[in-house]
Amino acid sequence: MILPLGTRDVLPPEWAWREHLRNRLAAHFSTWGYQGVELPALELHDPQHPQDARAFKLIDRGGDVLMLRSEFTTAVQRLVRTRFPGGPFPLRLQYGGRLWLAGQASELGRLREFTQLGVELIGASTPWTDAELLELSLSALKCVGVQGRLEVGHPGFLDALLEDSGLSESLRTQLHGVFDRKSGPDLAALIRTNGLDAGLERTLTTVNDLYGGPEVLAQARRLPLGTRAAAALAHLERVADLFGRERLLFDLGMSRRYGYYSGFTFRAYADGFSRQILGGGRYGGHDSSTPPTQQGAGFALGLERLTEVAARHIGPEPEVVLALDLAGADYARSLGLIAELRWTDDAAELARYTAQRGIGRAVQGQTLGSVAELLEVRA
């Protein structure tokens, strides 16, 4: 085995796509007021970290246990607490970089090293900020030529339903996993095994199937809802009204693997691509008693997946030509071409190289012609 399992080389064509996407997205986020930050790849080990069980861990020379960065939201929260304790809020930040996991089905199969780009909006928890993130997510995809569709949900709605039902924490955790997988048979088995009453069975079965257009919100309203579940649904309805209900798909049984998501969550898909290419949501407190540094929401894009999707929509790269002198290279680049400078006077070697690379034209001064013609002139 030449490379560790779950890692891969990135070759020039894909690298070019990735850099194009990275630069376009960073520029787009900036136009919305999101300022860039860079976060360390090494973090101090925290057993409460949401990815602790799957993070790569190592010990430094001083005996401290460290982790390789495994997700960005926790790192951004730490940065805001220590670097921007007084704001100004709301604080809009963007980031990008590699993540590492000891084992997870992730981007493009089972990668354990992958790249994410994303934004965080810290210090405000209102329907307007949630609607902003929905709009930004779609416009970010559009700026790289991808038409996305959004699914939204609210794990707080599901949390409240389960807790109000008086179920044990262990059973609630199992049910969250079932809802996350959208597994009707597993849900039926859990209900049967735990002897849940008929009314609760109807509610849980209904919630698992609450997926679709704006009519889903009306169906949820008819369920027996406690105060917290009703408030979560009202918040989601307000966000949908600000953004446009008809532009969204709703998943009221949506659950998330990360425990810190407590408010609305969303994910984006592209036509012809089954896996999500973007996901995010709200975490922390939701009222005036919660410090601004603990109120936040954001989303992240998987760069590997986005590269795969966006490659269908972005035009071909500029033509590559062989420049026989510096003046020729400058002239070619002024025309929007990619110019590779010659490195030898051996015409035969240059001819072999250009044939292998598929380079058909050369440039000398302001003369642009076929490689064969210009190499013959030089010879």
Side-chain angles (χ1 to χ4, degrees):
M1 183 181 297
I2 299 174
L3 290 174
L5 185 67
T7 64
R8 59 192 287 267
D9 295 318
V10 177
L11 301 182
E14 182 183 348
W15 183 91
W17 285 125
R18 290 168 59 138
E19 289 304 299
H20 172 84
L21 295 171
R22 192 196 305 266
N23 292 333
R24 287 286 296 273
L25 288 168
H28 184 74
F29 293 150
S30 293
T31 66
W32 283 64
Y34 288 78
Q35 303 174 82
V37 294
E38 189 167 329
L39 299 151
L42 283 174
E43 302 174 338
L44 291 171
H45 174 243
D46 177 6
Q48 302 304 313
H49 192 283
Q51 291 281 47
D52 179 57
R54 291 182 286 187
F56 279 106
K57 301 179 181 68
L58 57 156
I59 300 176
D60 69 8
R61 287 163 49 175
D64 291 323
V65 180
L66 308 177
M67 302 192 305
L68 280 175
R69 186 177 60 218
S70 55
E71 54 88 45
F72 276 105
T73 296
T74 305
V76 172
Q77 287 178 297
R78 186 271 310 160
L79 179 141
V80 171
R81 286 195 306 271
T82 57
R83 303 292 186 176
F84 302 99
F89 298 111
L91 184 64
R92 292 174 171 86
L93 301 175
Q94 64 165 296
Y95 59 80
R98 294 288 185 93
L99 297 174
W100 294 266
L101 291 172
Q104 180 189 15
S106 183
E107 321 295 298
L108 293 179
R110 297 190 63 84
L111 290 183
R112 297 188 296 171
E113 180 184 33
F114 52 97
T115 304
Q116 278 188 353
L117 308 172
V119 301
E120 299 288 341
L121 201 165
I122 310 292
S125 177
T126 69
W128 287 272
T129 55
D130 292 349
E132 174 182 326
L133 289 170
L134 293 178
E135 198 68 58
L136 177 56
S137 66
L138 280 190
S139 66
L141 293 175
K142 186 177 181 180
C143 88
V144 293
V146 177
Q147 199 68 33
R149 62 183 188 277
L150 286 175
E151 295 180 357
V152 300
H154 199 309
F157 174 77
L158 184 59
D159 287 340
L161 278 176
L162 296 179
E163 289 185 17
D164 289 348
S165 300
L167 303 177
S168 68
E169 183 177 352
S170 173
L171 182 53
R172 294 200 307 271
T173 299
Q174 294 178 68
L175 285 167
H176 273 294
V178 167
F179 280 106
D180 190 50
R181 299 191 302 274
K182 296 296 177 198
S183 175
D186 287 346
L187 177 59
L190 270 179
I191 291 172
R192 184 173 57 253
T193 301
N194 291 274
L196 303 186
D197 67 62
L200 181 55
E201 178 180 358
R202 284 193 299 273
T203 297
L204 296 180
T205 302
T206 299
V207 170
N208 196 47
D209 293 332
L210 280 180
Y211 179 88
E215 70 280 356
V216 165
L217 299 176
Q219 294 170 20
R221 275 280 164 213
R222 292 194 289 269
L223 293 172
L225 302 179
T227 302
R228 290 190 308 117
L233 183 58
H235 181 94
L236 189 58
E237 289 173 325
R238 180 60 175 143
V239 173
D241 287 337
L242 289 168
F243 180 74
R245 293 191 181 200
E246 70 287 348
R247 302 170 62 196
L248 294 169
L249 289 171
F250 298 90
D251 183 357
L252 270 299
M254 184 182 288
S255 183
R256 288 302 299 248
R257 297 184 189 92
Y258 296 152
Y260 51 68
Y261 281 122
S262 55
F264 98 119
T265 59
F266 61 99
R267 49 199 175 209
Y269 294 87
D271 290 341
F273 196 78
S274 61
R275 292 171 293 166
Q276 74 177 65
I277 53 177
L278 176 154
R282 176 160 296 285
Y283 49 85
H286 305 276
D287 55 50
S288 59
S289 66
T290 304
T293 55
Q294 295 178 25
Q295 301 177 29
F299 65 82
L301 302 101
L303 187 57
E304 286 80 4
R305 285 187 187 174
L306 186 61
T307 301
E308 185 180 351
V309 175
R312 309 169 188 173
H313 306 281
I314 301 174
E317 291 228 352
E319 179 188 358
V320 179
V321 299
L322 178 68
L324 301 180
D325 54 24
L326 286 172
D330 289 340
Y331 176 65
R333 290 170 188 143
S334 74
L335 298 176
L337 304 175
I338 297 172
E340 292 190 9
L341 267 171
R342 69 170 178 85
W343 65 96
T344 178
D345 280 326
D346 187 332
E349 183 177 352
L350 291 173
R352 284 193 299 271
Y353 173 76
T354 53
Q356 290 175 332
R357 286 274 283 111
I359 298 173
R361 295 201 292 174
V363 59
Q364 185 173 14
Q366 293 194 5
T367 301
L368 185 62
S370 73
V371 169
E373 290 172 345
L374 286 179
L375 285 182
E376 186 176 330
V377 170
R378 288 190 58 82

